[in-house]
Amino acid sequence: MSMFSTGILVLTSPLHTLPLRIAPVLTSAAQLVERTLYVHLHPGLNLGSGNQPRSVFIPPVVDLSTLINRLYSNAADICAHLDIKVLLTNVRSLSAACNGAAVPNCPFPTPQCLSHSPEVVLTDFPLQDPGQSHQITQSLQKYTGQCYVCSPSLPSVLLYPELMKLQEKEEQEKPENQAESLETYSDVVVGGTFDRLHGAHKTLLNISCLLSNRRCLIGVCDEAMLKKKVLTELIEPYSLRVQRLHEFLQDVKPSLQLEIVPLDDPFGVSIVDPLLQCIVVSEETRLGGEAVNRRRIENDLPPLVIHEIQLLKDAYHTESEEEKISSSSLRSRLLGTLLTPPKDTSHLPPLPYVIGLTGGSGSGKSSIAKQLEALGAVRIDCDKLGHEVYEPGTAAYHKVLEEFGSDILNEDKTINRRALGRKVFGNQERLKALTHIVWPEIALLVKNTISQARQEGKQVCVMDAAVLLEAGWTNMVHEVWVTIIPEEEAVLRITERDGVTTEDALRRLQSQWSSAKQVRRANVVLSTLWEPEVTHKQVKHTSPYQYTVYVSLKLIFMTF
């Protein structure tokens, strides 16, 4: 069967058996759905009775909370490429009527519109009699259409995981007592960065929605709370994180009143909102929940019930990454990958392919350029070319003397760059006058070097240029690569390397484009924050080994 972009999975197995079935069911589903998979829970749903089933409310129980955690954990291991969303529209406590109103009998008075319309419906319902196949698929189609707005002529598929092998284990795990009820609350609060919404985030949010009867308040870390985050430059913009949160939560439980607010400190409104009853935390943020309660007590507010969920393990983490599923690890995996497609470079010859490599002082840019050179690229050191343009007899030499005077000369008639620097330091107009002279001359030398590399049959050049973006040299390159490290690490490197004070190092960094500003213009981002081997893996992970260039309406692959 062909692949579908979006699907909905209707799970009908009893709650106590589902944890064993999730892995094989998700494995089967991932063979049919390639982007978004919604999960609809209806334990005990009988699609083969002959009567058309209707959705009913199912109560929130502890087993359901455990199942959600297990489902997202299994999904991260088995089908990490899928955007999984566990839907909770039909999960509600009978005592959860809002403002004293009666709870409706049907959770779907009209079909719910999802952010992505399902193109296929799947189920784990076991087929006992092959002759019932058509009847069951028809029943599944109608059931799903009553619950959600789906594509016309929705195909339905009965998944066939190895359920017979699981039957014996399921019999052994049958519960002796009735499922334990899960305490729910009118107003629930949860907070986080929510960068690149992943399974651990979804678990936290799903449980928050499961516990909420009326309102779910979500605090999202804003700028002030991001400064100490790993690879903060790669964190998605606040507006994008909020947009994705809103889409996810609207799909999961549209009946909730959602409030998404910025977090400028670790507490936000959680310490002043009198209506809040429960805070959802992970194992590592429990201390934060306790700190919230101390502040609430100081503000004469009742403490919140702290509901803790388990962290999800990351089966694919490396030695330099956290064991848990985390946004930090996901951001680190972006290093060395193509973040944005290259701009139109049809004005440039396809060969050699020119990488424009830039980054702030101390970021390790030159060490990466040398690694690329070792792999076969022609390295163009723009700092070295910058020294050449000041040499006596060059066009820039005469222009600089005309602009700044002969008192900047040494006894041997060479330009004293320190004396020149004193004339432009802190004076933007004078600095602009200097760069207006020097940058075009450096660009000319770069073009000559690229032309020579082309004549020699070289396939890749790396243009090592600290001012690549400021000088507007991106029109000479096919891709822009940016190296980043935290400011404190850059300061440490600069002071050790150049023997300057911390204040001087900071001034140097602040006179350059910020890492965040550079990243916004980058096709590829790298970082030398970790051991050299980690950086080398990033470099090998990037395009040097294989570039795709569009030439004469054909794709050519270059390897060096």
Side-chain angles (χ1 to χ4, degrees):
M1 183 175 286
S2 59
M3 291 287 285
F4 299 91
S5 175
T6 305
I8 186 162
L9 172 62
V10 178
L11 294 177
T12 66
S13 301
L15 276 179
H16 73 279
T17 68
L18 268 174
L20 290 172
R21 296 188 177 210
I22 285 176
V25 167
L26 286 179
T27 300
S28 299
Q31 295 172 13
L32 296 171
V33 179
E34 57 186 356
R35 189 181 70 176
T36 304
L37 181 65
Y38 295 107
V39 179
H40 174 93
L41 299 167
H42 191 147
L45 177 67
N46 188 352
L47 295 169
S49 66
N51 298 320
Q52 181 57 46
R54 298 186 65 85
S55 183
V56 295
F57 282 111
I58 60 175
V61 292
V62 173
D63 283 354
L64 188 57
S65 173
T66 304
L67 173 65
I68 290 171
N69 188 287
R70 180 73 167 267
L71 197 150
Y72 282 117
S73 179
N74 283 172
D77 295 344
I78 294 167
C79 48
H81 65 287
L82 282 181
D83 178 16
I84 305 283
K85 299 181 183 182
V86 181
L87 305 176
L88 300 175
T89 304
N90 63 327
V91 180
R92 182 180 296 174
S93 170
L94 294 179
S95 61
C98 298
N99 301 321
V103 177
N105 293 325
C106 178
F108 299 97
T110 59
Q112 177 183 337
C113 187
L114 299 170
S115 55
H116 303 284
S117 181
E119 301 166 0
V120 64
V121 58
L122 318 167
T123 187
D124 66 338
F125 185 78
L127 183 64
Q128 303 294 337
D129 179 1
Q132 285 187 306
S133 177
H134 180 70
Q135 173 194 324
I136 292 173
T137 54
Q138 289 288 100
S139 180
L140 179 62
Q141 287 173 349
K142 291 180 181 178
Y143 173 86
T144 308
Q146 291 168 359
C147 299
Y148 305 100
V149 176
C150 304
S151 298
S153 304
L154 184 74
S156 58
V157 179
L158 305 180
L159 300 178
Y160 298 103
E162 298 177 1
L163 299 180
M164 295 303 294
K165 294 181 180 179
L166 300 174
Q167 188 171 355
E168 184 177 342
K169 291 183 180 179
E170 292 174 356
E171 291 295 328
Q172 294 173 354
E173 296 199 9
K174 279 189 177 179
E176 295 181 1
N177 302 315
Q178 191 174 4
E180 181 184 355
S181 295
L182 185 68
E183 185 70 27
T184 58
Y185 308 90
S186 174
D187 295 63
V188 174
V189 63
V190 64
T193 306
F194 300 110
D195 178 43
R196 305 180 194 281
L197 208 59
H198 52 66
H201 290 143
K202 292 175 182 178
T203 302
L204 189 70
L205 293 166
N206 259 114
I207 299 302
S208 300
C209 289
L210 183 65
L211 298 173
S212 305
N213 294 327
R214 186 184 76 92
R215 179 178 62 135
C216 189
L217 176 64
I218 304 100
V220 181
C221 294
D222 208 353
E223 255 183 70
M225 292 285 289
L226 302 179
K227 292 179 180 178
K228 298 299 182 181
K229 298 286 184 181
V230 177
L231 299 172
T232 182
E233 299 90 346
L234 293 178
I235 293 177
E236 295 171 322
Y238 175 83
S239 59
L240 179 58
R241 287 180 280 137
V242 169
Q243 176 188 329
R244 290 181 174 167
L245 271 174
H246 193 270
E247 178 184 299
F248 177 82
L249 294 165
Q250 276 294 112
D251 279 343
V252 168
K253 199 170 182 179
S255 62
L256 282 181
Q257 177 185 331
L258 299 176
E259 288 185 31
I260 303 177
V261 297
L263 274 182
D264 296 317
D265 61 63
F267 303 105
V269 298
S270 66
I271 59 174
V272 295
D273 190 325
L275 298 178
L276 292 174
Q277 297 177 333
C278 173
I279 184 169
V280 182
V281 300
S282 66
E283 297 171 63
E284 66 176 4
T285 59
R286 183 178 182 88
L287 292 178
E290 294 172 353
V292 165
N293 276 342
R294 287 194 293 271
R295 293 290 297 271
R296 284 181 68 86
I297 292 171
E298 290 173 4
N299 293 337
D300 294 323
L301 292 173
L304 304 175
V305 175
I306 298 178
H307 186 97
E308 180 183 317
I309 66 168
Q310 293 180 337
L311 296 171
L312 299 190
K313 299 295 183 182
D314 186 347
Y316 304 104
H317 76 278
T318 63
E319 291 183 3
S320 61
E321 296 174 344
E322 298 178 274
E323 290 187 7
K324 64 170 185 173
I325 294 177
S326 73
S327 298
S328 300
S329 295
L330 295 182
R331 290 194 295 274
S332 71
R333 292 170 198 173
L334 293 175
L335 296 172
T337 67
L338 194 64
L339 298 180
T340 57
K343 63 181 181 181
D344 179 20
T345 55
S346 56
H347 64 286
L348 296 175
L351 295 175
Y353 197 89
V354 183
I355 302 166
L357 178 62
T358 191
S361 184
S363 65
K365 169 179 56 67
S366 295
S367 68
I368 290 175
K370 290 174 182 176
Q371 288 190 42
L372 290 169
E373 185 178 24
L375 290 170
V378 175
R379 181 188 176 200
I380 304 172
D381 188 341
C382 290
D383 187 51
K384 183 179 178 182
L385 296 181
H387 286 278
E388 290 182 15
V389 300
Y390 285 106
E391 291 180 359
T394 62
Y397 176 86
H398 296 296
K399 291 178 182 177
V400 169
L401 291 185
E402 289 175 10
E403 181 70 32
F404 295 96
S406 58
D407 58 331
I408 62 172
L409 292 177
N410 295 312
E411 290 184 3
D412 61 358
K413 302 302 181 182
T414 57
I415 292 175
N416 184 322
R417 296 184 66 175
R418 285 196 174 185
L420 177 60
R422 285 193 292 270
K423 289 200 172 189
V424 301
F425 182 76
N427 188 324
Q428 288 299 316
E429 287 188 9
R430 301 300 284 157
L431 179 61
K432 187 175 180 179
L434 177 61
T435 57
H436 185 71
I437 294 170
V438 175
W439 283 352
E441 296 300 321
I442 297 175
L444 185 59
L445 292 179
V446 169
K447 290 176 181 177
N448 291 339
T449 307
I450 294 172
S451 179
Q452 183 180 345
R454 184 179 305 113
Q455 292 173 13
E456 295 174 358
K458 302 296 184 181
Q459 293 184 320
V460 178
C461 290
V462 54
M463 181 179 169
D464 180 354
V467 295
L468 176 79
L469 300 175
E470 296 94 320
W473 291 341
T474 55
N475 63 344
M476 294 192 290
V477 305
H478 295 88
E479 286 185 22
V480 174
W481 292 13
V482 171
T483 60
I484 59 173
I485 56 166
E487 185 179 85
E488 53 270 26
E489 176 64 21
V491 168
L492 182 62
R493 292 183 184 183
I494 294 169
T495 55
E496 290 182 351
R497 182 189 65 194
D498 301 339
V500 298
T501 64
T502 298
E503 292 73 21
D504 286 339
L506 278 170
R507 275 196 293 271
R508 184 184 304 180
L509 290 171
Q510 289 164 1
S511 69
Q512 302 169 351
W513 278 24
S514 68
S515 292
K517 187 176 181 180
Q518 293 187 62
V519 165
R520 288 195 290 271
R521 302 281 296 276
N523 302 114
V524 173
V525 175
L526 306 104
S527 179
T528 61
L529 180 59
W530 299 277
E531 294 78 8
E533 307 82 56
V534 177
T535 305
H536 190 59
K537 286 180 180 177
Q538 294 172 29
V539 172
K540 290 180 69 175
H541 189 46
T542 56
S543 318
Y545 283 109
Q546 187 172 345
Y547 288 91
T548 304
V549 186
Y550 194 74
V551 183
S552 302
L553 304 180
K554 294 182 180 179
L555 291 173
I556 1 183
F557 295 88
M558 300 179 295
T559 303
F560 66 85

